[in-house]
Amino acid sequence: MSSDFKLDAVKGHDSEDPEVGSLNGVHTILPERRATTLSDRLFRGSRAGHGEIVSIPNEKRGHGSAKKSGPLLSGTAYCISSCSMILLNKVVLSSYNFNAGVSLMFYQNLISSVIVVLLGFSGVVTVEKLNWKLVRVWIPVNIIFIGMLVSGMYSLKYVNIAMVTILKNVTNILTAIGELYLFRKHQSQKVWTAMFFMIISAISSGITDISFDTLGYAWQISNCILTASYSLTLRRVMDEAKKYTRSGSLNEVSMVLLNNLLSLPFAAFLIIMFDEWEYIISVDVIKLPMFWVIATASGLLGLAISFTSMWFLHQTGPTTYSLVGSLNKIPISLAGLVLFKVPLSLPNLFSILFGLFAGIFFAKAKMS
């Protein structure tokens, strides 16, 4: 789910490219910061250290060093986890020719749910206690969330990573239109210009795509619609959901658990309905240990993106995060083209590069 919902929410739900390349879709950071979060706990010592700086010179130097290295380390961790997850998911779905996207989603979300529950029990993170009223309010969001993940899985299977990245720009346009009609939120002229460039790049990239796959593009268009719907629906549901929590807010870790845990019964139903379970028990690829290593690693990386993005935002801010997120799409796209030996024409390459830079222009326009 690529992962820019985080920035969105931090900036008060401004439309920003929701990165669903991270297919777990677990990395959403809420504007509400009253509840203690993982980043609060991890960096509490850093904040407390300010009180000791005057009396302990060595600690002052250590604190300054940590402050300088923090953004670099957190940004590197976020970029590596984001790039790695997209590439690993592509390996599972395409290189291993795995045709059970819902089952893969179920497995990854199960991993995320188990880890968050364990972290909650151990006291590392604060997780809201779930109740039926909260679950009932959240179900509409979760249904869209599942559709977003499944469509993202199948689009990544049939479409190369660079084209998926470019086509995801359509989500920004749909979200902006939705905000205009639902929330009466107007964008600047620069933002609309950037989105116009995104449309041009998406159309030209599709036309010049040598490996064009109709089914893959249909899945990706569906993913754009569902991702924009998820973002817009989330904004309507959040205020209602907060009423049914003990703290009066819903922190990002609790949201990770809600989305992933609630998706499991729905995913199980889809697995049975589409007979994926018959495919799973008969396909040879699941007998390969390396397949499970890669599938598990991609699930762990999905959760890692959530935590590293919190860390990165804590060390820098929404503006830096937005720009790095946009720049991060360039190595992801180029790595996808090289590692998977995508057939490429010169016009298609220029269209892809144009789309990537249009995304950077969009991020800068949103900052201004």
Side-chain angles (χ1 to χ4, degrees), residues 78-334:
Y78 165 66
C79 291
I80 290 175
S81 58
S82 178
C83 291
S84 299
M85 184 184 176
I86 295 173
L87 294 173
L88 286 181
N89 272 322
K90 183 66 174 177
V91 169
V92 172
L93 294 165
S94 296
S95 298
Y96 281 102
N97 197 28
F98 188 66
N99 295 315
V102 179
S103 299
L104 180 60
M105 178 198 73
F106 178 90
Y107 181 62
Q108 292 180 341
N109 289 3
L110 178 62
I111 292 173
S112 295
S113 299
V114 170
I115 292 176
V116 172
V117 169
L118 292 176
L119 291 175
F121 278 132
S122 63
V124 176
V125 298
T126 300
V127 181
E128 286 290 339
K129 185 177 180 181
L130 304 185
N131 58 73
W132 170 242
K133 289 183 179 179
L134 177 59
V135 169
R136 187 175 57 187
V137 168
W138 203 259
I139 283 177
V141 176
N142 194 250
I143 291 174
I144 300 174
F145 170 77
I146 294 166
M148 182 180 74
L149 294 191
V150 173
S151 59
M153 287 282 187
Y154 283 109
S155 68
L156 192 60
K157 176 178 175 59
Y158 296 109
V159 182
N160 70 72
I161 293 175
M163 282 306 307
V164 166
T165 303
I166 298 304
L167 293 172
K168 278 179 185 174
N169 286 336
V170 175
T171 302
N172 295 320
I173 300 162
L174 296 176
T175 304
I177 294 172
E179 285 179 330
L180 179 62
Y181 285 97
L182 295 177
F183 306 109
R184 296 292 183 265
K185 180 177 180 179
H186 297 271
Q187 304 293 341
S188 68
Q189 188 64 42
K190 286 184 178 180
V191 171
W192 286 112
T193 302
M195 289 192 285
F196 174 74
F197 289 155
M198 289 176 174
I199 294 173
I200 298 299
S201 68
I203 294 174
S204 61
S205 297
I207 293 173
T208 57
D209 186 5
I210 297 176
S211 57
F212 182 91
D213 187 289
T214 304
L215 181 59
Y217 272 67
W219 277 115
Q220 184 53 52
I221 292 171
S222 300
N223 180 257
C224 292
I225 295 171
L226 288 165
T227 302
S229 300
Y230 176 80
S231 177
L232 296 168
T233 305
L234 185 65
R235 298 169 202 194
R236 286 184 172 274
V237 170
M238 277 306 305
D239 289 337
E240 186 68 20
K242 292 175 185 177
K243 297 176 184 177
Y244 303 110
T245 62
R246 288 180 297 177
S247 65
S249 65
L250 192 63
N251 65 26
E252 57 271 16
V253 179
S254 299
M255 198 167 159
V256 168
L257 183 61
L258 256 179
N259 269 335
N260 286 274
L261 194 60
L262 291 182
S263 71
L264 298 180
F266 288 109
F269 173 75
L270 292 175
I271 290 170
I272 295 171
M273 186 173 72
F274 293 121
D275 293 327
E276 273 197 11
W277 63 275
E278 292 184 354
Y279 171 82
I280 293 296
I281 62 177
S282 62
V283 70
D284 292 332
V285 71
I286 66 167
K287 299 174 185 177
L288 301 174
M290 187 52 66
F291 170 82
W292 287 105
V293 170
I294 295 174
T296 303
S298 66
L300 293 173
L301 283 168
L303 195 57
I305 294 172
S306 180
F307 293 148
T308 54
S309 63
M310 296 178 206
W311 182 22
F312 188 34
L313 273 166
H314 179 90
Q315 292 290 328
T316 57
T319 300
T320 302
Y321 175 86
S322 175
L323 190 57
V324 170
S326 296
L327 291 171
N328 194 36
K329 294 177 182 179
I330 297 175
I332 292 175
S333 299
L334 296 178

Side-chain angles (χ1 to χ4, degrees), residues 17-84:
D17 178 19
E19 184 61 75
V20 191
S22 74
L23 295 167
N24 271 25
V26 297
H27 26 283
T28 305
I29 290 182
L30 307 177
E32 189 62 64
R33 291 278 179 178
R34 289 195 296 266
T36 303
T37 67
L38 176 66
S39 55
D40 294 329
R41 290 175 178 269
L42 288 175
F43 305 109
R44 183 185 296 155
S46 174
R47 288 193 294 268
H50 287 286
E52 301 171 328
I53 285 175
V54 175
S55 58
I56 306 177
N58 288 337
E59 194 162 322
K60 181 178 180 180
R61 286 196 297 270
H63 179 77
S65 175
K67 191 172 182 180
K68 289 179 181 178
S69 62
L72 178 61
L73 290 174
S74 59
T76 301
Y78 165 66
C79 291
I80 290 175
S81 58
S82 178
C83 291
S84 299

